Amino acid sequence: MNIRIGVACAALAGALAGCAQQPVQTAAPDLLTLDTHVDIPLDYMREPRYDVGGDSVLKVDLGKMERGGLDGAFFIVYVGQGPLTEAGYADAVAQAERKYSAIALMLDKYPDRIRLATTPAQIRDNQASGLLSAMIGIENPYSLGHDLSRLDTAHARGARYVGLTHVGNNSVCSSANPDAEAGEPAHNSAQDPGMSEFGRALVARANALGMMVDVSHASDKCVLDAIAASRAPVFASHSSARGLVDVPRNLPDDLLRAIADDDGVVQAVAYYEFVKHDPARQAAEEALKQEIARQSGAEEFDWDVHGELPALTAGMARIQREHPLATLQEYVDHIDYMVDLIGIDHVGIASDFDGGGEVTGWMDASESPNVTAELRRRGYSDADIAKLWGGNLMRVWQAAGDAAGSGAGAP
């Protein structure tokens, strides 16, 4: 995920006629399908529209998972980057707690439909029992409050991967999208700090706990530092190929190879801005948000405040007609590119749903079979598709657990 302000057309609850959906294919009955990055709002499960047991406004709820044959998803404890101060850390910890408790609310309310999975074996057991699996990932360890013991607490609550940064540098490592206004060094500049000593300690503790280390959003230098620091393979939970779309959030060929050489996996992400380079659409969306904020008398656009205004719905419909979203076919082009470059064993699938992810043809979890159908149309075998949809991720997850069992300080 790049920016949390949702200007994606499906977030407008079907208001955009230009987002015509492809016919949903039938899910393969025995295929294990896992999505490694699904965001949740701060009021998840607390507002009726965010209750995943019904027909929610979210792209991923239990019904959409069931209809789309999506067996499991990593639900993300995300906190945006703020000041590296005592007050900033306290606020980040509180925001994270609200999301952990929201996931717990979901699991407590719908135990007959979805269960927590903290190991690959539990995912298989849930699938065999006809249950969905919920996993937890951390996006931006700012939410740990610069306190390594909170990683243990997160692990105890079910978190099984930790992303190293987000937009803006933190105390762990530098970001692919540093905050220039805050004076942070440019990405890939000589001043880019990469990973800090605290970051190396965080990676070591994640290894000891058996948590996967996620390098999505990290600077190129930090990715290499993470590979060097980690005893277990690293992975990218939601990143596509910079060789196709040249944005810092995508991974360049040398880093794709480095992750593969480390026996890791890169989960290609269906975030439309990383799938298709369309600066005209980005500019139009930004102008629309600024205009709506102006009309509302606000200093800046706020999705929670302005996201359901008729003016936004109408404006996004116009933008969609003039600048169509990336397509499922363009998304799978990224999978093809990475498979050709680093091999079928090192590529996976991620949506970034409810955090900006969407492409025409895969607009929510109910359309997940369309991804399988497109892969099959391109000649991928059932065994290849099984690796992409979860097999490769399960291997890396198991390797993280194995490394914990063999390393000093393992619990």
Side-chain angles (χ1 to χ4, degrees):
M1 190 211 67
N2 184 16
I3 303 172
R4 295 287 154 165
I5 297 173
V7 289
C9 64
L12 301 177
L16 305 185
C19 287
Q21 297 182 351
Q22 297 180 356
V24 177
Q25 305 296 319
T26 302
D30 298 324
L31 179 65
L32 178 65
T33 55
L34 304 176
D35 186 341
T36 50
H37 205 89
V38 171
D39 282 290
I40 60 174
L42 200 59
D43 291 323
Y44 192 66
M45 291 297 298
R46 293 182 172 90
E47 291 188 13
R49 62 179 175 158
Y50 297 144
D51 187 325
V52 297
D55 187 17
S56 77
V57 300
L58 298 168
K59 292 176 178 295
V60 180
D61 56 34
L62 304 190
K64 293 182 181 76
M65 291 178 73
E66 290 161 345
R67 292 194 300 276
L70 183 63
D71 294 302
F74 277 85
F75 295 93
I76 303 305
V77 175
Y78 159 78
V79 175
Q81 187 60 45
L84 305 181
T85 63
E86 184 176 345
Y89 286 132
D91 181 60
V93 170
Q95 288 186 53
E97 172 56 32
R98 189 165 176 83
K99 292 194 173 184
Y100 283 115
S101 62
I103 295 169
L105 283 173
M106 172 183 68
L107 296 168
D108 288 344
K109 189 171 183 178
Y110 301 109
D112 58 336
R113 297 173 72 184
I114 188 165
R115 300 275 176 87
L116 183 68
T118 59
T119 67
Q122 286 180 340
I123 292 176
R124 297 187 186 96
D125 289 344
N126 286 346
Q127 184 193 36
S129 300
L131 295 165
L132 304 173
S133 288
M135 296 79 73
I136 300 174
I138 299 169
E139 185 173 35
N140 196 3
Y142 179 58
S143 66
L144 301 176
H146 199 71
D147 181 346
L148 210 55
S149 71
R150 288 200 176 98
L151 189 64
D152 293 63
T153 303
H155 179 268
R157 301 197 72 166
R160 288 300 180 268
Y161 78 68
V162 56
L164 299 176
T165 188
H166 191 252
V167 175
N169 297 351
N170 59 21
S171 65
V172 171
C173 79
S174 52
S175 169
N177 297 104
D179 186 348
E181 292 184 2
E184 294 176 357
H187 181 231
N188 279 345
S189 69
Q191 292 74 38
D192 186 330
M195 181 172 285
S196 69
E197 287 305 311
F198 178 73
R200 291 180 176 86
L202 179 75
V203 169
R205 190 60 197 153
N207 287 164
L209 292 167
M211 295 179 70
M212 293 179 285
V213 174
D214 172 21
V215 298
S216 286
H217 282 288
S219 69
D220 292 2
K221 185 174 181 182
C222 184
V223 173
L224 292 174
D225 288 346
I227 292 171
S230 180
R231 289 200 315 268
V234 305
F235 89 121
S237 70
H238 60 308
S239 295
S240 284
R242 201 180 298 174
L244 290 183
V245 177
D246 188 10
V247 295
R249 265 285 285 113
N250 285 344
L251 290 167
D253 290 1
D254 62 327
L255 293 187
L256 292 172
R257 292 190 184 99
I259 292 170
D261 289 344
D262 192 48
D263 204 28
V265 62
V266 178
Q267 304 287 117
V269 66
Y271 190 99
Y272 67 98
E273 290 183 6
F274 308 152
V275 170
K276 173 185 176 181
H277 183 58
D278 192 348
R281 180 177 178 123
Q282 294 173 30
E285 289 176 352
E286 186 60 33
L288 175 64
K289 289 184 292 180
Q290 290 179 3
E291 175 60 19
I292 288 173
R294 187 191 64 78
Q295 291 175 0
S296 302
E299 291 186 4
E300 60 183 16
F301 181 89
D302 185 328
W303 181 253
D304 290 332
V305 175
H306 307 120
E308 296 183 8
L309 292 177
L312 180 66
T313 302
M316 284 302 301
R318 172 183 53 78
I319 289 171
Q320 174 61 18
R321 289 192 299 270
E322 296 172 355
H323 310 285
L325 280 173
T327 65
L328 173 61
Q329 290 71 30
E330 289 169 313
Y331 168 65
V332 177
D333 286 345
H334 283 260
I335 294 176
D336 281 348
Y337 181 95
M338 292 194 286
V339 167
D340 289 344
L341 183 73
I342 60 177
I344 191 67
D345 293 327
H346 304 290
V347 183
I349 292 169
S351 67
D352 204 0
F353 282 150
D354 297 313
E358 59 184 356
V359 292
T360 301
W362 195 28
M363 296 297 288
D364 62 40
S366 72
E367 294 191 332
S368 298
N370 290 346
V371 181
T372 304
E374 179 63 20
L375 291 168
R376 189 165 285 127
R377 188 187 70 80
R378 297 191 185 204
Y380 287 89
S381 68
D382 288 349
D384 290 340
I385 292 169
K387 289 181 177 182
L388 294 169
W389 258 124
N392 293 334
L393 185 278
M394 296 274 272
R395 183 195 75 246
V396 172
W397 189 354
Q398 186 63 53
D402 293 344
S406 64

